[in-house]
Amino acid sequence: MRIVLLGGPGSGKGTQAKKLTEKYRIPQISTGDIFRAAVKEGTPMGLKAKEYMDKGELVPDSVVVGVVEERLAKPDLNAGFMLDGFPRTLPQAEALDKIMQKMGKGIDHAILVDVPDEELMKRLTGRRTCRNSDCGKMYHVMFNPPKKEGVCDACGSELYQRADDSEATIRERLNVYAEQTAPLIDYYNKKGLLRQVAGVGPIENIFAALVKILG
Ligand code: AMP
């Protein structure tokens, strides 16, 4: 099962990807997570990515495609994979098609987790993330607060607001999504691979809708 998850920043696709990869036992490949880990380690690629991430801009295609190509070459993908946050531009989608072609495989589903813009804005400004990257649990000050303010329920680490979750950066990320990523909806629709779920309401209901698609 090879899946691409599409959706705006804050659409909950990361949360759903985690749950789906547990159910279907396939690895979640999140380019955002890969970049955040590289930033934390202070690698040259991480330092480069950080410049773009902090501004809410996309990391250049050449960098992202290289990272994904490397990840897809690892030997743990027999049962498939779930791409979360990639592709985000048409050139990335085309590059993915080429990589798949080389592997002699194809993408089975491109699933859009659809959430209106105003809702995304509300969600992202209240988002808090666990600083412990092994945990990475996410909260929301209004919709999903931790038991103790600023502290992760799961591991007790401090919660923080990602640099790219500030209001100005969020606006930029939403613009970038509309301009560069939304065209992928049409791209996958034309290939007959697009599936769609409404990304509003309880997490479990959205998950159930996704499972219904995937079987
Ligand atoms: P995410 O956690 O998926 O929201 O990603 C956080 C940030 O990492 C994005 O705002 C981009 O700056 C960068 N990023 C992640 N995935 C990609 C991608 N496929 N193409 C370009 N930039 C990306």
Side-chain angles (χ1 to χ4, degrees):
M1 184 183 284
R2 288 172 294 275
I3 300 161
V4 164
L5 265 190
L6 297 170
S11 59
K13 66 180 164 29
T15 304
Q16 296 296 339
K18 271 204 184 76
K19 290 171 71 67
L20 290 168
T21 52
E22 275 163 25
K23 178 171 172 66
Y24 294 102
R25 298 177 185 281
I26 50 176
Q28 172 188 8
I29 304 179
S30 156
T31 41
D33 285 350
I34 294 173
F35 288 137
R36 276 184 290 280
V39 169
K40 202 170 156 214
E41 281 171 32
T43 66
M45 186 270 278
L47 294 178
K48 181 153 193 201
K50 188 176 186 325
E51 283 172 37
Y52 297 91
M53 293 168 80
D54 285 352
K55 286 188 278 186
E57 293 171 6
L58 292 184
V59 176
D61 288 338
S62 57
V63 178
V64 188
V65 170
V67 162
V68 171
E69 197 157 21
E70 205 173 293
R71 179 64 187 87
L72 289 178
K74 295 214 168 127
D76 60 339
L77 304 175
N78 280 341
F81 53 79
M82 172 150 309
L83 283 168
D84 161 22
F86 179 92
R88 257 182 162 94
T89 65
L90 280 175
Q92 289 181 17
E94 286 159 3
L96 176 63
D97 284 347
K98 286 215 183 84
I99 297 171
M100 288 289 102
Q101 227 168 18
K102 267 195 247 166
M103 290 167 75
K105 306 227 158 87
I107 296 295
D108 300 310
H109 307 279
I111 309 180
L112 171 65
V113 181
D114 193 27
V115 178
D117 262 15
E118 322 80 74
E119 174 74 17
L120 292 179
M121 193 75 193
K122 254 194 285 178
R123 287 187 188 180
L124 288 166
T125 47
R127 187 153 88 168
R128 298 293 180 272
T129 307
C130 175
R131 207 178 270 292
N132 169 8
S133 55
D134 290 334
C135 172
K137 201 165 178 302
M138 291 206 275
Y139 297 85
H140 191 284
V141 291
M142 276 156 65
F143 308 133
N144 176 29
K147 291 199 183 76
K148 186 171 172 216
E149 197 185 318
V151 179
C152 179
D153 292 346
C155 74
S157 303
E158 182 198 10
L159 302 181
Y160 77 113
Q161 184 172 32
R162 271 169 45 177
D164 59 350
D165 280 345
S166 73
E167 193 159 333
T169 310
I170 289 165
R171 226 171 264 293
E172 176 61 19
R173 289 166 70 200
L174 290 174
N175 286 339
V176 166
Y177 177 76
E179 280 168 22
Q180 303 200 53
T181 309
L184 295 183
I185 297 169
D186 200 37
Y187 180 85
Y188 284 112
N189 195 19
K190 284 197 176 123
K191 287 178 179 285
L193 297 178
L194 187 74
R195 328 273 178 251
Q196 197 160 330
V197 297
V200 285
I203 289 174
E204 286 308 324
N205 293 6
I206 302 167
F207 181 62
L210 287 163
V211 169
K212 206 167 160 196
I213 290 173
L214 296 173

